[in-house]
Every structure is written in C-alpha cells, then in structure tokens.
Amino acid sequence: MTESTAPRAEDRTVLLRGGEVHSPADPFATAMVVERGHVAWVGSEGAADGFADGVDEIVDLEGALVTPAFTDAHVHTTATGLALTGLDLSGAATLADALRLVREHSAAHPGAAVLLGHGWDSARWPERRHPSRAELDEAAGGRPLYLPRIDVHSAVVTTALLDLVPSVTGLSGYHPGEPLTGAAHHAVRAAAHAAVAPAQREAAQRAALDHAASLGIGTVHECAGPDISDEDDFTGLLALARGGAVPRVVGYWAERVADEKDALRIRELGAAGAAGDLFVDGSLGSHTACLHTPYADAAHTGTTHLDAQAVAAHVAACTEAGLQAGFHAIGDAALTTVVDGIRAVADTLGLARVRAARHRVEHAEMLTPETIAAFAEFGLTASVQPAFDAAWGGDEGMYAERLGVERARTLNPYAALLRAGVPLALGSDAPVTPLDPWGTIRAAAFHRTAEHRVSVRAAFTAHTRGGWRAVGRDDAGVLVPGAPADYALWHTDELIVQAPDDRVARWSTDPRSGTPGLPDLTPGTELPVCLRTVVSGQTIFERPKE
C-alpha cells in the first residue's frame, strides 16, 4: 500500500481509491474522500478522478477492504492490558501447567508488590478443580498473588494477599478453601489493584488500547465501577484516550444513582452513564448468575445483588436526570428482575421517556421470550459477547455442565433478539474473552445453537453501528457522507454474503441485490488482517510493511 508524503494533519483531505469500500451509500464503492475528520464522499473509481487534484493525500488501497472501525461495547481496559503484559493463564491446559506458569512469573518479577494474573478455567482442566491456597502459596513463594477466574466473578489468592485484607473472612463470598466471590472478592481485588503503580497502570491501558487499534477497533466502551476498579483508574484512562493516537474510549461507571446530585457526580467523572457492570447477579462459570431454578451441578440458584425495587430506583433517577442506566445481568432470574424494575419506571414516568434514554443490559445471556419482548418494549440495548458461546456453548460445554443441555441451548438467542427489534451491541468483555472483532462476528454467525445464528452482515452491523447506537449516536459506525471518519483497512480474500438461510445468501450475492459483501468467516478460514485503523481522520495504527 502506498500513499503520499503529505503531513498527517487531522484537517487534511484524503482520497482513498482502488479498493472495496463497505458503504450503504454505494454498495459498489471503490473510493472514499475524508475531509476534516469526516467522510465527505463515497463512490466509484471513475468518479474519484474528479477529486484527485483537490486533496492533500491519495491512498492507493491496492485492493484492500475499507470498513467502519469496530466498536467493542464491553471492555475492562486496565485488566486487559495487565493480562497482555503479565500472567495470562487462559492457555493453561492443566492445573499443573497453571501452577508452573505462576512459578515462572513469580521468579521473573521479584520486585512486584503483588503478583497479578488472569484467565484460569478449571472447567477445561482434566483435574476439574481450582488451585488450592496451599498450592498457590508454594508456587508464588509465599508472596501476595491475585488470580481471578476467566469470568472475573471469582478469584483464588494466596495467604499473603488475604493477610492484606484482615476483614475478608467476615465478608459475604468468603468460604475457606473455595474461590472468593461477592464482597470478599471485591475487597481482595481492590487491595491487589491498589498495589499497581500509576506508571504500570498507564502502561497496561496503553498496551490494551494499542492492541485494540491493531485489530481495527476504533472505540471501546470501558465498563468500570467501584466494585471493579477505582476512580483514578477510570479518569486516567479517559485522559489517556483524550490525548489521541489511541482508540476512542466511552466510559461507563457502575454506581447506583438516587438523585440529580448522584447523576452529576457520574457526569463529573466523565462517564457516559451509570451503567456497565452494575451487578444484578454474577456469572454462570462461578455459579453466581441468578437463576429461577437451581444449577444442574449445584444445589442453589446463584447470587442476587439488586432486587426489582433497587433496579427501578436507579433507572428512575437516571431517566429523570437524562442519564443512561444499565446493568450486568446474566441469569434468567436476574433478567426478570431488570425488566420488572424497568416496567415499574415505565408505568410511572411513561414508556416514551424510558425508551428515549436507551438504557442497556450487559451480557443478557439467559433470556426468555418474555424478557426478549420486554427488551424490545423498553428500547433496551443488549450488549452481548458472542465469544462466550464459542468458548462455553454446545452440548458438552460449560453452560451445559452448569445448566443441563436443554437450558444451555436457550442461551444467547441473538436471532430472536433481532427478530424482536432489540438493538444489539457486540463486544468481548476483555480480558474475559480476547479482543477479536472478526472472531466475534464469526461466533455470532456460527453460534453453537443453529437457531440463534444471525447473518454476518447483521453481526457486523452490531459490532460497528450498534456500538454507536448504544451510546445514543445514530450518525456513526457507517461510511456515509457526514459520518465520523472512523475506519479500518483490511487485507482479506474474496468478499461474499453469508446468512443462516442459504436462500437469503444466494439472493444477496446476486449483483442486483446491491448488498455489499464482507469477508468469508466460515470456521477454519483465515480472518482479515488489519492494515490501518483511523479515528476521526487520524491514523492510530499502521501495520509495518513486510
């Protein structure tokens, strides 16, 4: 790929030509003009000649695909960066392998005040159990160590870390010999993260954002809050993003709002809403998602943190203040709690005001026809993570182990959500599952339960335009004149149209349909490679030439 040596100013005019531009404005576009950080024109190669003399820069795409940059609608940026730069156990095949990695990490970081890791999943290990505290004490050499499970809703720690939080044994979620959950987990996590120096934290944030940019991600939704991180972490990340040269960060702060004063504080933090991981329940992997009927492999129904009255109070206060509200809800009982609470607000403030606020729900995995209908009625955005199904779905996966095969097959019903008119915003929940936008789209299009599959085009829209709509912007996430110039260039093979129904796919690939193609995401095929990522006309990533 070649381009002129014109200076990289944000207000320059750029002509991109000689590729494939994914745009509803012209399904056969091969060229695009960017002016002052916005898309000014898309069209054919022949028409591009008329712009060539009046631009500051010409980019020869050399056949590359141009798409809107992706928006990852659920990210924990600092934790993602720490996983990228630190101890990542997601690849450990056995418990013994995990303990070996802990030993190696401890030896390689003799000066660290607290050792931090991420990503263990005992459901994938032949031992089928978590590391014991004695095993971790030995592997870490008696040092403080914090190891959250892959879902980040429970953690195993060393004795030395517990000693830093003397009150932990009296908190809910503390059970000797078992992973920490609930308040006990939050307290120990806060102590572990407090040991992270500001420079280390900023380095982790930058590593995560740089990695996102290298994958064609132009915007991330940071899901923070007092039970997850701290205010310095949150405001520091927003400041880093404002400095430019990294993806845009839209921040959510998951703290309950009771009145206008609380809403003002959320805004002063720089948050787009009091949403994200405001926990109604936990996760299926940690047996803390709240269910109507007990787990198949545990004699209880999980954990609930908010009831319908608390949900209603938060949503009402946010709606009155013009602030977006949202919740983390995974289990069917938790999702019922959310919709019951929001229904109470709609009955008092009016349905129109609730819908206009565009409140959102994170994960929303264990939906029923009734809760799907309520999402559509109240205009709730479902912020979902298709990689969860790829990792834990199927008749032999963790979901089936926790719930039984029949209940597990109901999870993550993306097709039903779209049929009902529920807006979807796709994300990763990184570091729970990796930043991987094309892999995320593949997971939605090739869902392990066939009836829940959606077309590649629908999933692509939910991972681009859907993320913008989730923050109240309907004018972005698509390459049309006037939209922000957030785009990515890709090396990929032939473009096609993929849909769950072959009859739809055959018609859509007919040139008469005017449907722009996308890369072939059939499992086993190579995913597109990002060549460049641009945000508001500014390049934030460029792959080195080979």
Side-chain angles (χ1 to χ4, degrees):
M1 184 173 301
T2 59
E3 64 178 60
S4 78
T5 57
R8 294 179 176 271
E10 289 186 31
D11 61 352
R12 70 193 189 284
T13 301
V14 181
L15 169 64
L16 300 93
R17 64 185 306 178
E20 301 279 353
V21 180
H22 188 90
S23 172
D26 183 344
F28 308 109
T30 61
M32 180 171 76
V33 173
V34 172
E35 186 174 26
R36 297 186 181 278
H38 288 77
V39 177
W41 171 85
V42 293
S44 68
E45 191 63 27
D49 291 335
F51 294 95
D53 292 336
V55 300
D56 301 309
E57 181 180 357
I58 297 176
V59 176
D60 180 359
L61 295 170
E62 299 180 3
L65 170 66
V66 185
T67 71
F70 289 107
T71 292
D72 191 310
H74 193 117
V75 173
H76 304 285
T77 307
T78 303
T80 300
L82 290 171
L84 288 169
T85 59
L87 174 57
D88 183 358
L89 298 179
S90 60
T94 66
L95 171 58
D97 193 21
L99 292 171
R100 175 184 59 79
L101 292 171
V102 170
R103 289 188 192 94
E104 293 175 355
H105 184 75
S106 178
H109 297 81
V114 173
L115 300 171
L116 301 170
H118 169 77
W120 62 271
D121 186 359
S122 57
R124 299 177 180 176
W125 295 343
E127 297 91 346
R128 307 294 289 178
R129 68 173 180 86
H130 60 82
S132 71
R133 193 185 310 164
E135 288 170 328
L136 293 178
D137 286 346
E138 183 276 325
R143 300 168 63 192
L145 168 69
Y146 169 69
L147 286 182
R149 190 185 179 279
I150 192 167
D151 58 13
V152 202
H153 283 272
S154 61
V156 290
V157 301
T158 56
T159 302
L161 183 55
L162 286 180
D163 289 344
L164 298 179
V165 192
S167 63
V168 69
T169 57
L171 298 176
S172 62
Y174 178 85
H175 303 285
E178 294 299 319
L180 302 173
T181 61
H185 177 212
H186 297 160
V188 171
R189 175 165 56 191
H193 286 178
V196 177
Q200 181 186 4
R201 181 179 65 207
E202 182 176 337
Q205 292 171 344
R206 188 171 292 279
L209 293 176
D210 287 346
H211 182 56
S214 76
L215 299 170
I217 297 171
T219 301
V220 300
H221 294 181
E222 166 68 12
C223 291
D227 288 334
I228 300 167
S229 55
D230 59 45
E231 292 183 10
D232 288 342
D233 181 276
F234 183 65
T235 57
L237 173 64
L238 297 182
L240 175 63
R242 285 194 298 271
V246 295
R248 181 186 290 102
V249 175
V250 177
Y252 286 98
W253 186 253
E255 191 166 7
R256 291 166 65 179
V257 169
D259 52 31
E260 178 63 40
K261 181 179 178 182
D262 288 345
L264 178 61
R265 201 183 84 77
I266 297 292
R267 290 192 177 96
E268 287 174 343
L269 282 174
D277 278 334
L278 183 53
F279 297 116
V280 178
D281 67 346
S283 74
L284 291 165
S286 291
H287 291 99
T288 52
C290 189
L291 314 181
H292 282 304
T293 56
Y295 284 87
D297 61 348
H300 62 83
T301 57
T303 305
T304 183
H305 301 293
L306 299 175
D307 60 17
Q309 185 176 1
V311 167
H314 178 71
V315 172
C318 287
T319 303
E320 292 274 27
L323 189 68
Q324 193 176 25
F327 304 92
H328 162 120
I330 287 179
D332 52 0
L335 287 160
T336 297
T337 294
V338 169
V339 300
D340 285 351
I342 294 176
R343 180 172 286 109
V345 178
D347 289 343
T348 55
L349 297 184
L351 180 60
R353 291 187 66 185
V354 169
R355 290 179 60 88
R358 300 198 190 190
H359 303 309
R360 54 189 282 171
V361 180
E362 309 301 315
H363 316 308
E365 292 198 79
M366 208 171 171
L367 290 156
T368 64
E370 292 74 22
T371 48
I372 290 172
F375 269 51
E377 179 185 2
F378 302 136
L380 302 178
T381 295
S383 170
V384 298
Q385 298 75 40
F388 288 5
D389 175 73
W392 302 308
D395 291 355
E396 309 258 327
M398 182 271 287
Y399 289 154
E401 182 177 331
R402 295 288 185 269
L403 302 171
V405 170
E406 291 307 312
R407 273 197 294 176
R409 287 176 180 168
T410 69
L411 293 187
N412 301 303
Y414 304 137
L417 285 164
L418 288 180
R419 284 196 301 271
V422 176
L424 295 185
L426 268 54
S428 63
D429 198 11
V432 175
T433 57
L435 297 166
D436 180 14
W438 288 113
T440 295
I441 294 170
R442 171 185 281 171
F446 295 91
H447 197 294
R448 290 180 181 272
T449 303
E451 68 191 74
H452 299 328
R453 293 174 181 169
V454 299
S455 69
V456 167
R457 182 185 181 193
F460 176 82
T461 299
H463 215 347
T464 50
R465 199 167 195 177
W468 284 92
R469 285 173 167 167
V471 297
R473 290 280 301 272
D474 294 329
D475 61 337
V478 60
L479 300 180
V480 297
D486 286 25
Y487 60 91
L489 312 186
W490 304 93
H491 171 72
T492 188
D493 293 329
E494 180 185 5
L495 303 182
I496 64 171
V497 173
Q498 289 178 292
D501 187 328
D502 286 342
R503 292 169 300 172
V504 174
R506 282 197 298 272
W507 161 245
S508 297
T509 54
D510 188 302
R512 290 170 297 173
S513 73
T515 302
L518 285 165
D520 181 0
L521 300 184
T522 303
T525 59
E526 293 291 326
L527 293 175
V529 175
C530 184
L531 304 175
R532 181 183 303 175
T533 306
V534 177
V535 171
S536 294
Q538 180 185 14
T539 297
I540 62 170
F541 167 77
E542 187 157 14
R543 185 166 298 281
K545 292 179 171 44
E546 298 179 353

